[in-house]
């Protein structure tokens, strides 16, 4: 059986007028859609122009207000360089304020600069509100203001990145930093150049990082942070300096003033806050600490008084041109510094032609000033160390004395202290010696004060 056959049906004929109408309607719809698109673009462009005009107007109003606030003397100096570009890009949501301040900016002209600095940073929302605040000291700071300002900015940028912030405005009131950030100025030294390269490298890690130069009163918050922090750090430095001074003048090598820390201070580390006089004493104390008490020898010549060990003193009998006899060998020595001859037993300049016994019988006080010193010591109740014969005066503090030779004893009765404990029953202190009536900060021209 053959398959069924399907007959193709012919479509109904359309009139030419209907087709033309349909095409006309479609064309009209397309035209209206295109016009709507153009109208929307024109509306957006008008809105953008209006927003730009409003932004420029606001910028001009703020700029005019800032210009009016500039003092005449500042305007005459750098008014031609005062600028504030109009930025059409979206503003970052966070601002980084930074301030680096060295101690030299706040210490008085007659005060000793402790050579420290502080870094102050505030990361804030644009609408207001502090997100993060940093106050960080820089110990043993060496450098100018530009260096510490860059250090503070670096601290702020690192802090912002650590918070996950990727869009910031760096706000500064320090024009040199602003000029360096924009490349207007080039660093003059290698250290500053390396630091600026590091800052610019960190800046590139942000999606957006603008730089804004403002008046100092607009960064007053971080300036106060820096000032407050620096005041505290200077007070600590002065306290540490006083601690070191007292220890040195009392014949001991100071340790770190922080409670519980036993680290000894170094000469190099103390150079930035000690006077030359105290540094000299510190070197002497370190030298004394390296020589066992039984091996210490001081030159008896007043203009020298060099410290030596028994192994260092010169033995004249070993010199090829020696004019001394064999009998002198037991006690005759020479100072390593001034080359003066002295008696090791009597601790006086060499008594040529006399034995030690004869010398002491003839001169119970080797020098006239020794008799005067003994008389003065009796009047003022000074004490003499039984080991090295140094005369000691109690200026302040307790009666536990530590001589330059390391010998410890009671100032009242002279008995030895053993293992940091008194071997007598004398009072440990007198309140009049503990409380200081005057503040003696002028130690530049001060002698050792306690040792004669």
């Amino acid at each position: 059986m053959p398959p069924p056959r399907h007959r193709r049906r012919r479509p109904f004929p359309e009139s030419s007028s209907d087709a033309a109408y349909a095409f006309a309607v479609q064309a009209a719809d397309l035209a209206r859609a295109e016009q709507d698109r153009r109208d929307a673009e024109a509306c957006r462009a008008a809105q953008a122009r209006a927003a730009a005009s409003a932004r420029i107007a606001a910028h001009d109003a703020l700029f005019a207000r800032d210009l009016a606030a500039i003092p005449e003397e500042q305007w005459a100096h750098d008014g031609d360089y005062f600028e504030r570009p109009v930025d059409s890009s979206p503003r970052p949501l966070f601002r980084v304020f930074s301030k680096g301040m060295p101690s030299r900016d706040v210490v008085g002209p007659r005060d000793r600069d402790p050579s420290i600095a502080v870094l102050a940073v505030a990361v804030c929302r644009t609408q207001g509100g502090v997100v993060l605040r940093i106050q960080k000291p820089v110990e043993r700071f060496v450098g100018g203001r530009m260096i510490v300002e860059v250090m503070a900015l670096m601290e702020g940028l690192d802090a912002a990145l650590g918070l996950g912030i990727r869009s910031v405005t760096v706000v500064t009131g320090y024009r040199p930093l602003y000029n360096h950030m924009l490349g207007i100025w080039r660093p003059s030294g290698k250290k500053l150049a390396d630091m600026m390269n590091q800052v610019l490298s960190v800046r590139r890690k942000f999606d957006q990082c603008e730089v804004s130069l403002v008046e100092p009163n607009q960064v007053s918050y971080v300036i106060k942070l820096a000032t407050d922090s620096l005041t505290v750090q200077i007070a600590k430095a002065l306290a540490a300096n006083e601690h070191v001074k007292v220890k040195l003048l009392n014949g001991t090598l100071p340790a770190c003033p922080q409670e519980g820390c036993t680290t000894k201070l170094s000469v190099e580390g103390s150079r930035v806050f000690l006077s030359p006089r105290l540094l000299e004493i510190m070197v002497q104390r370190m030298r004394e600490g390296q020589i066992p008490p039984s091996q210490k020898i001081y030159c008896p010549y007043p203009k020298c008084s060099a410290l030596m060990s028994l192994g260092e003193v010169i033995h004249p009998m070993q010199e090829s041109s020696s004019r001394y006899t064999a009998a002198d060998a037991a006690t005759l020595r020479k100072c390593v510094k001034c080359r003066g001859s002295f008696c090791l037993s009597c601790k006086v300049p060499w008594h040529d032609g006399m034995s030690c016994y004869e010398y002491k019988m003839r001169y119970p006080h080797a020098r006239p000033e020794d008799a005067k010193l003994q008389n003065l010591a009796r009047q003022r109740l000074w004490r003499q160390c039984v080991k090295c014969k140094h005369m000691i005066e109690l200026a302040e503090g307790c009666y536990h004395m530590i001589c330059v030779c390391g010998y410890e004893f009671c100032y009242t009765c002279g008995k030895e202290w053993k293992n940091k404990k008194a071997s007598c029953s004398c009072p440990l202190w007198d309140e009049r010696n503990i409380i200081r009536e005057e503040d003696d900060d002028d130690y530049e021209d001060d002698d050792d004060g306690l040792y004669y």
Side-chain angles (χ1 to χ4, degrees):
M1 183 176 179
R5 299 178 62 187
H6 297 277
R7 184 174 295 177
R8 185 176 182 183
R9 182 175 296 178
R10 297 175 59 186
F12 293 108
E14 297 180 354
S15 64
S16 59
S17 60
D18 291 339
Y21 176 76
F23 285 126
V25 171
Q26 185 178 18
D29 291 340
L30 292 174
R32 282 195 297 273
E34 178 63 19
Q35 186 60 44
D36 290 343
R37 185 186 66 79
R38 292 177 180 175
D39 291 344
E41 289 183 352
C43 183
R44 286 194 294 271
Q47 291 175 346
R49 288 193 296 272
S53 298
R55 186 167 57 253
I56 292 173
H59 168 272
D60 291 346
L62 180 61
F63 190 43
R65 186 184 66 185
D66 291 343
L67 289 177
I70 297 177
E72 289 296 330
E73 59 274 11
Q74 182 180 351
W75 177 259
H77 181 264
D78 56 4
D80 293 340
Y81 301 100
F82 194 85
E83 59 183 18
R84 178 171 290 164
V86 179
D87 186 6
S88 60
S89 60
R91 302 297 296 174
L93 298 179
F94 295 91
R95 292 178 295 174
V96 174
F97 296 84
S98 64
K99 179 62 181 176
M101 185 177 293
S103 54
R104 71 182 68 166
D105 285 3
V106 298
V107 297
R110 297 187 61 186
D111 297 330
R112 176 169 296 279
D113 183 4
S115 298
I116 57 177
V118 294
L119 312 178
V121 171
V123 180
C124 307
R125 294 184 179 89
T126 303
Q127 298 83 357
V130 178
V131 178
L132 179 66
R133 183 183 69 183
I134 299 175
Q135 293 168 286
K136 186 175 182 180
V138 181
E139 300 292 344
R140 295 189 291 275
F141 173 72
V142 178
R145 181 180 174 187
M146 184 63 193
I147 294 292
V148 73
E149 290 278 7
V150 175
M151 293 173 66
L153 174 58
M154 190 68 187
E155 192 76 21
L157 293 178
D158 285 338
L161 287 175
L163 294 173
I165 298 174
R166 291 297 180 271
S167 180
V168 297
T169 296
V170 172
V171 182
T172 180
Y174 190 46
R175 178 175 288 275
L177 179 62
Y178 174 80
N179 288 344
H180 279 292
M181 288 289 291
L182 295 186
I184 300 175
W185 291 359
R186 294 185 177 275
S188 57
K190 184 179 185 304
K191 181 178 180 180
L192 180 58
D194 292 341
M195 294 178 67
M196 284 305 307
N197 288 335
Q198 187 178 5
V199 167
L200 297 177
S201 177
V202 173
R203 183 183 181 184
R204 287 191 288 269
K205 296 180 181 180
F206 290 89
D207 297 334
Q208 186 179 12
C209 183
E210 303 174 354
V211 184
S212 177
L213 178 65
V214 299
E215 290 299 306
N217 60 359
Q218 295 180 261
V219 290
S220 58
Y221 179 73
V222 288
I223 291 178
K224 187 177 186 305
L225 287 181
T227 304
D228 292 346
S229 179
L230 193 56
T231 301
V232 172
Q233 295 303 320
I234 289 177
K236 289 182 179 179
L238 294 178
N241 186 39
E242 184 66 17
H243 163 83
V244 173
K245 173 187 173 183
V246 170
K247 290 292 185 180
L248 289 174
L249 295 182
N250 277 277
T252 59
L253 187 63
C256 174
Q258 293 294 330
E259 186 176 356
C261 181
T262 58
T263 303
K264 292 292 184 181
L265 301 181
S266 66
V267 174
E268 194 60 36
S270 304
R271 193 178 301 277
V272 295
F273 63 88
L274 287 183
S275 67
R277 175 60 174 161
L278 286 179
L279 276 176
E280 181 181 344
I281 297 175
M282 187 174 190
V283 172
Q284 176 78 352
R285 298 293 179 257
M286 294 184 70
R287 174 82 173 125
E288 291 170 347
Q290 294 170 352
I291 303 176
S294 60
Q295 299 288 310
K296 291 178 181 176
I297 299 294
Y298 291 89
C299 177
Y301 292 93
K303 292 184 178 181
C304 180
S305 299
L307 171 66
M308 302 162 281
S309 68
L310 284 176
E312 290 177 321
V313 293
I314 300 173
H315 199 306
M317 308 306 294
Q318 298 173 349
E319 296 180 346
S320 58
S321 60
S322 174
R323 62 179 178 84
Y324 302 104
T325 66
D328 299 331
T331 61
L332 176 60
R333 298 292 184 272
K334 277 192 175 183
C335 175
V336 296
K337 184 177 180 181
C338 70
R339 309 286 292 188
S341 300
F342 64 92
C343 177
L344 187 62
S345 175
C346 302
K347 305 294 191 301
V348 297
W350 180 242
H351 42 75
D352 194 19
M354 286 187 289
S355 66
C356 293
Y357 176 78
E358 293 171 337
Y359 179 82
K360 291 177 182 178
M361 291 297 294
R362 183 175 298 184
Y363 303 105
H365 299 296
R367 296 168 294 178
E369 58 265 29
D370 290 343
K372 295 179 182 178
L373 178 60
Q374 292 292 339
N375 184 47
L376 189 61
R378 283 191 295 269
Q379 294 176 8
R380 299 191 179 182
L381 300 179
W382 294 346
R383 295 292 180 263
Q384 191 171 34
C385 175
V386 299
K387 279 206 169 184
C388 69
K389 307 305 179 184
H390 267 70
M391 198 68 72
I392 298 177
E393 178 191 21
L394 176 63
E396 62 184 30
C398 69
Y399 293 140
H400 173 207
M401 307 305 294
I402 305 176
C403 182
V404 292
C405 69
Y407 183 71
E408 302 181 37
F409 62 96
C410 172
Y411 189 79
T412 302
C413 67
K415 287 188 177 180
E416 183 181 6
W417 274 57
K418 298 180 179 180
N419 299 322
K420 302 299 180 182
K421 293 182 180 180
S423 59
C424 63
S425 58
C426 298
L428 183 58
W429 67 76
D430 186 327
E431 188 173 341
R432 291 171 298 179
N433 293 328
I434 300 297
I435 300 175
R436 299 179 63 180
E437 297 294 336
E438 298 179 355
D439 186 15
D440 180 17
D441 289 330
D442 185 13
Y443 50 79
E444 288 292 341
D445 299 325
D446 189 18
D447 291 330
D448 287 9
L450 299 180
Y451 306 100
Y452 297 87

